[in-house]
Amino acid sequence: MIGSGILIGIAAGTVVASFRYLIEHLTSLFIWIFAQGKTDFLWFGLGLIMLIAICLVNGWFLKTNPEIKGSGIPQVEGQLIGLFDYAFWPALWRKFVGGVLAIGSGLFLGREGPSIQLGSTIGQGISKLTKQVGTDRNVLISSGAAAGLSAAFNAPIASTMFVLEEVYHNFSTNIWMVSLTASISSDCIATYVFGLKPVLFMKSTSLPLKYFVWIIPFAILLGIFGRVYQLMTLNISKLYSRIKFIPKEFSSIFSFLLIIPIAMYLPQLMGGGSRLILSLQYLKYPAVILIAFFGLRLLLSVFTYGSGLPGGIFLPMLCLGALLGATYGSVLISMGLVSKLYFATFVIMGMAGYFACVSKAPFTAILLITEMVGTLSHLLGLALVSLLAYLVVDILNGKPIYHSLLLQMLGKREERESITAFETIQTVFVGALADGKTVKQLSWPSGSLLIKIKREGREIVPSGETGIRAGDILIISVTGKKRQQIIHQVQTLTREN
């Protein structure tokens, strides 16, 4: 499995590094074309024709392979819990080409979600070549997802945590070890291409403890706008459903037309947001401009994602958090409440807090921003803002955005009957109902069958008298209707009350 992780990491790193390289250069090309287009109608016409062509190509891709839609993270989650599957090769090349064209055109989409799906699809392909099935196949798919994110952000530790916390929801030894192996291998490839400098490196100064009181209202602000973002993202499909005069697959034409004036007059706003984030550290925009940038990116990033184009919300979320942090920091500085020395720190904390509350993955948020910014000095502030923003969204009844998108994507498909058994991996937590019980003492949901227990490197074939204890890894076969519901019922036995 470790060997498979290295192989997946090398393959995913090569594919995603190429993906990232092409996107960056295509975006620069579009910025240049529309800069010329301000004074030369021929260049403007060329840019318009290119955008229309990209819309048509992606529309055809979405019609023939709908599984490449959006970020790809909900598809990976659904695949890992057995709710649907797809052929790896058609999805791989269409996601790659469609993602390069859509994201590279300068739309407010991120490369990270597609990179995760590209990596997971490579893992799926390698599992097919090596004839891995069941839980071993899922481990390779999840490790591919980690490798994809690692190559996109040069953040192997956070990428492994993201798979454990958000995608797979499981801390099995096999999963984290193979995922970490794949992430490190992938990061080596990406680092060779893009260098050692962190993706969002910023010069910053740690916030002193005496200023931590200002993190509380900041986290509340992030949580409120994080819940707004969740609601907008989950409901944008209703707006598109009212558009009847154009096929759904080609509704992205509106996003392409909207990006033209931005490309001509506000090119710094184009793309996923990394250029804008890096420019925020210098305190170059007044608060009113930052608010306008936030409103524009919030509306257009949600609107663009709703079109179904192969692009993600990962980096756009970080950009929105950075804009909120910059706005909040500039207000505090103008009021004389903090020194401008700490302005970049609020930008950094904004990214972590906003991602933590929208995705409901705080550990990933803390580690991700730490690796991307390239400093450990903000850990305490990142942890506090992430925890408080997470709590605010929890109070507002917010759910993890990627899982919510998965449920929305499935619709009634989850109700269909499946006769194919699916294996799920569940770890027994300390204090869980299963901890200290025998197999026969537990009320297992209908449609589930415990087939294997992994304990301290040993595999146990269970009987009714077999005891279960904290740290055990349970391999459970799930069949029948409503797999998601069955898995949730199993988790009530294996996780803390």
Side-chain angles (χ1 to χ4, degrees):
M1 296 297 287
I2 291 292
S4 297
I6 295 173
L7 179 61
I8 290 170
I10 293 172
T14 302
V15 170
V16 174
S18 303
F19 184 71
R20 178 176 162 187
Y21 180 87
L22 291 172
I23 287 172
E24 290 181 0
H25 285 75
L26 185 58
T27 302
S28 298
L29 175 62
F30 269 104
I31 291 174
W32 185 84
I33 287 175
F34 282 108
Q36 304 304 310
K38 287 193 292 185
T39 56
D40 191 328
F41 184 76
L42 290 177
W43 282 111
F44 177 86
L46 175 63
L48 179 61
I49 291 171
M50 291 174 66
L51 291 179
I52 293 173
I54 292 173
C55 174
L56 295 176
V57 169
N58 269 294
W60 178 66
F61 284 169
L62 290 170
K63 191 172 184 178
T64 55
N65 285 85
E67 61 269 11
I68 71 168
K69 175 182 178 181
S71 76
I73 296 175
Q75 290 91 319
V76 177
E77 285 195 28
Q79 193 175 35
L80 289 173
I81 58 178
L83 294 178
F84 61 81
D85 209 348
Y86 50 84
F88 83 93
W89 176 244
L92 179 64
W93 79 262
R94 285 180 172 86
K95 188 77 173 190
F96 184 95
V97 176
V100 167
L101 294 175
I103 305 167
S105 67
L107 295 178
F108 294 173
L109 296 169
R111 64 178 183 260
E112 301 72 31
S115 297
I116 289 171
Q117 189 177 19
L118 287 172
S120 73
T121 306
I122 289 170
Q124 179 186 342
I126 290 177
S127 71
K128 184 176 181 179
L129 292 175
T130 57
K131 298 181 180 180
Q132 303 282 349
V133 296
T135 55
D136 289 341
R137 176 180 185 264
N138 286 350
V139 169
L140 297 188
I141 291 173
S142 60
S143 65
L149 181 58
S150 179
F153 270 158
N154 292 107
I157 308 301
S159 301
T160 304
M161 180 58 70
F162 182 76
V163 168
L164 300 176
E165 186 177 29
E166 172 62 30
V167 176
Y168 213 125
H169 309 288
N170 193 289
F171 285 75
S172 161
T173 302
N174 273 1
I175 295 169
W176 74 254
M177 187 176 293
V178 181
S179 294
L180 182 60
T181 303
S183 294
I184 293 172
S185 304
S186 178
D187 185 52
C188 288
I189 302 294
T191 299
Y192 180 80
V193 176
F194 299 102
L196 287 169
K197 187 177 180 179
V199 175
L200 296 178
F201 176 76
M202 294 185 188
K203 294 181 179 180
S204 57
T205 304
S206 302
L207 193 69
L209 283 175
K210 65 179 181 179
Y211 291 137
F212 268 46
V213 65
W214 299 115
I215 293 180
I216 298 173
F218 183 37
I220 294 173
L221 178 73
L222 291 170
I224 292 172
F225 278 103
R227 183 61 178 139
V228 169
Y229 181 84
Q230 287 183 337
L231 292 171
M232 291 176 65
T233 302
L234 294 173
N235 288 283
I236 189 62
S237 58
K238 296 178 182 177
L239 175 62
Y240 277 99
S241 65
R242 296 179 181 178
I243 302 174
K244 305 295 184 182
F245 60 91
I246 190 171
K248 186 177 180 181
E249 294 82 7
F250 302 102
S251 59
S252 61
I253 187 62
F254 302 108
S255 298
F256 285 112
L257 294 177
L258 288 171
I259 201 64
I260 293 175
I262 295 173
M264 295 175 70
Y265 300 104
L266 292 170
Q268 69 270 32
L269 295 186
M270 290 181 67
S274 57
R275 285 183 175 90
L276 180 58
I277 292 171
L278 290 172
S279 71
L280 292 177
Q281 61 182 307
Y282 302 113
L283 192 54
K284 60 189 293 187
Y285 302 109
V288 64
I289 297 297
L290 293 170
I291 292 171
F293 284 175
F294 175 83
L296 184 62
R297 284 201 61 96
L298 174 64
L299 292 173
L300 289 187
S301 63
V302 170
F303 183 75
T304 304
Y305 183 79
S307 69
L309 287 168
I313 58 176
F314 209 114
L315 187 55
M317 275 195 286
L318 296 183
C319 185
L320 291 173
L323 285 167
L324 287 174
T327 304
Y328 187 77
S330 64
V331 170
L332 291 183
I333 291 168
S334 65
M335 296 174 64
L337 298 174
V338 299
S339 167
K340 65 179 181 180
L341 185 66
Y342 309 114
F343 175 75
T345 303
F346 283 98
V347 175
I348 293 169
M349 289 193 297
M351 289 190 286
Y354 201 73
F355 181 82
C357 68
V358 175
S359 67
K360 303 297 286 290
F363 285 104
T364 299
I366 296 165
L367 291 174
L368 180 68
I369 302 305
T370 297
E371 288 189 280
M372 290 179 69
V373 173
T375 177
L376 296 169
S377 61
H378 302 296
L379 276 176
L380 184 57
L382 296 180
L384 180 59
V385 74
S386 298
L387 175 63
L388 293 177
Y390 179 101
L391 179 61
V392 171
V393 171
D394 216 44
I395 292 171
L396 296 175
N397 200 33
K399 301 295 187 294
I401 187 65
Y402 292 115
H403 188 68
S404 299
L405 288 169
L406 168 63
L407 296 180
Q408 188 179 73
M409 181 186 303
L410 290 171
K412 295 187 179 298
R413 286 201 293 168
E414 193 177 358
E415 302 293 328
R416 74 181 186 273
E417 182 173 359
S418 174
I419 60 175
T420 304
F422 169 76
E423 292 182 6
T424 179
I425 303 174
Q426 300 295 330
T427 302
V428 180
F429 287 61
V430 175
L433 289 174
D435 186 11
K437 301 284 198 317
T438 61
V439 173
K440 69 178 182 181
Q441 289 178 316
L442 298 170
S443 299
W444 299 94
S446 176
S448 67
L449 176 65
L450 177 62
I451 58 177
K452 189 186 299 181
I453 299 174
K454 292 186 177 182
R455 178 185 299 162
E456 297 174 354
R458 297 181 296 122
E459 292 188 354
I460 301 171
V461 178
S463 66
E465 302 296 333
T466 302
I468 298 175
R469 64 191 190 203
D472 285 351
I473 298 171
L474 311 183
I475 312 299
I476 300 169
S477 176
V478 177
T479 57
K481 297 180 179 179
K482 301 183 179 179
R483 292 185 179 186
Q484 179 72 3
Q485 181 177 332
I486 295 172
I487 292 172
H488 177 72
Q489 291 174 344
V490 169
Q491 288 173 345
T492 61
L493 301 176
T494 59
R495 300 187 179 183
E496 304 102 325
N497 295 321

